[in-house]
Amino acid sequence: FGSRLSFVTLFLVCEVSTFPGSAFIMAGSDSGSDAVEGLVTACGVIATVCWCLLLLPQARKNHSKLSTEGLSLGLILVWHSAGAVGTGYYCLDLSANFYAGLSFTCFGVVSCLIEAQFLIYRKPQAMLFLKLAGFTLLFVALQFCTSLVSYLFFSAVSEEVAYALGNVCPSVLYVIGFFPQIWEFISTRDVTGYSFGVTAFDVAGCVFNCIYLYADEDPLDASKEAAPFLAIVFMHIVLIVTAVAVLGCSKRTISREQIKKAGTEDTKGELDPELNESKSSENIAI
């Protein structure tokens, strides 16, 4: 597991190091070359694909062990709420926000699957797959209703209110969602229940989306739009640092317990004459 965490950390460093490249692309985008435009479009598509696949590693991990232990339900619920509201906001202008709406929708469906896993995997049940599919469809229907209500609400209010509640608030919720998972790491002293593939996909999506923004918009406007993505990248760094610290503390605790156990066995041998005598007999026989 430590090697996988190291790989994700290396991936994170490599992804963050691509930020300087966005300045180069932004500078080249003024020339209007087809190559740069194609590269910018590719960055946007890659970001969309990463976010569509964002929670799939976690769903797969839960399914492989038939358990959600180690994953914070608060993380999923907060992120899912933000995604449902964001979907309603982006549907206001779907022609301009098609890829964002697509990624939020896919994210929401997998969130429904994981929430169903929380409900079903608590204890062994018969017809596991059918129940999992049924609850997933139920949660998808609830998500659709939430997004529809959000869309109708945002259609009735001013653009400023819609932007604040449909764009800014979900971004804040995404950042807040990290804290339940960080607390899960600290309280259980275990990080094996969380799939760091989520971190890899999320960071990749944020980085490529930032490149897309800085290449396609004015730097000031791009910085405003990219702020939530940069905040998410920062929170993933905090998440990884916390996981590394928890792993280090767990290893030290295990080492101390092993030393204590060995010392207890030695002390027991010294205080038990029969045990020492049997050991001496064995040595003589040898």
Side-chain angles (χ1 to χ4, degrees):
F1 175 77
S3 62
R4 281 182 288 174
L5 182 57
S6 300
F7 171 77
V8 174
T9 305
L10 178 61
F11 172 83
L12 181 63
V13 172
C14 292
E15 285 292 332
V16 173
S17 67
T18 61
F19 275 117
S22 64
F24 173 77
I25 296 177
M26 181 179 64
S29 63
D30 295 334
S31 64
S33 66
D34 293 337
V36 172
E37 290 180 1
L39 183 58
V40 171
T41 302
C43 288
V45 171
I46 292 173
T48 301
V49 171
C50 287
W51 283 334
C52 287
L53 302 176
L54 178 59
L55 290 177
L56 280 180
Q58 187 63 58
R60 180 181 179 276
K61 188 181 188 72
N62 296 343
H63 176 71
S64 64
K65 59 192 182 82
L66 296 180
S67 172
T68 55
E69 185 177 358
L71 174 66
S72 172
L73 179 60
L75 170 74
I76 302 300
L77 290 178
V78 173
W79 280 9
H80 192 188
S81 301
V85 174
T87 301
Y89 173 76
Y90 285 120
C91 285
L92 291 175
D93 188 4
L94 197 57
S95 59
N97 299 311
F98 173 76
Y99 290 111
L102 176 63
S103 60
F104 271 65
T105 301
C106 294
F107 173 84
V109 171
V110 183
S111 296
C112 292
L113 172 60
I114 294 178
E115 288 162 1
Q117 288 176 331
F118 268 100
L119 191 62
I120 299 298
Y121 290 165
R122 289 182 301 175
K123 57 182 179 179
Q125 300 185 31
M127 296 188 299
L128 185 65
F129 175 78
L130 291 178
K131 290 183 178 179
L132 188 62
F135 278 107
T136 300
L137 291 176
L138 174 62
F139 292 149
V140 168
L142 292 175
Q143 173 190 316
F144 174 79
C145 293
T146 302
S147 297
L148 179 60
V149 170
S150 300
Y151 170 76
L152 295 175
F153 173 77
F154 295 141
S155 300
V157 299
S158 63
E159 291 185 4
E160 292 77 12
V161 174
Y163 178 81
L165 297 179
N167 194 327
V168 176
C169 285
S171 300
V172 174
L173 287 176
Y174 277 121
V175 174
I176 293 175
F178 283 91
F179 290 100
Q181 187 60 53
I182 291 173
W183 174 248
E184 185 77 16
F185 286 166
I186 296 173
S187 61
T188 62
R189 295 187 179 181
D190 184 23
V191 300
T192 56
Y194 174 81
S195 173
F196 285 91
V198 174
T199 294
F201 277 127
D202 204 6
V203 170
C206 289
V207 169
F208 281 111
N209 206 25
C210 286
I211 294 175
Y212 174 82
L213 290 173
Y214 278 103
D216 199 48
E217 298 183 12
D218 177 77
L220 185 60
D221 294 335
S223 298
K224 177 182 176 182
E225 295 293 330
F229 306 126
L230 297 176
I232 290 173
V233 171
F234 173 76
M235 290 307 299
H236 275 294
I237 293 174
V238 174
L239 190 71
I240 289 179
V241 170
T242 304
V244 171
V246 168
L247 281 175
C249 292
S250 299
K251 288 181 179 179
R252 285 195 295 270
T253 301
I254 293 173
S255 299
R256 285 196 296 267
E257 290 178 351
Q258 290 175 343
I259 294 173
K260 183 178 179 180
K261 182 178 179 181
T264 302
E265 291 178 351
D266 292 341
T267 304
K268 182 179 178 180
E270 292 175 359
L271 297 176
D272 191 346
E274 295 182 358
L275 181 61
N276 288 331
E277 184 177 350
S278 62
K279 288 183 178 180
S280 300
S281 301
E282 290 176 1
N283 294 332
I284 293 173
I286 294 173

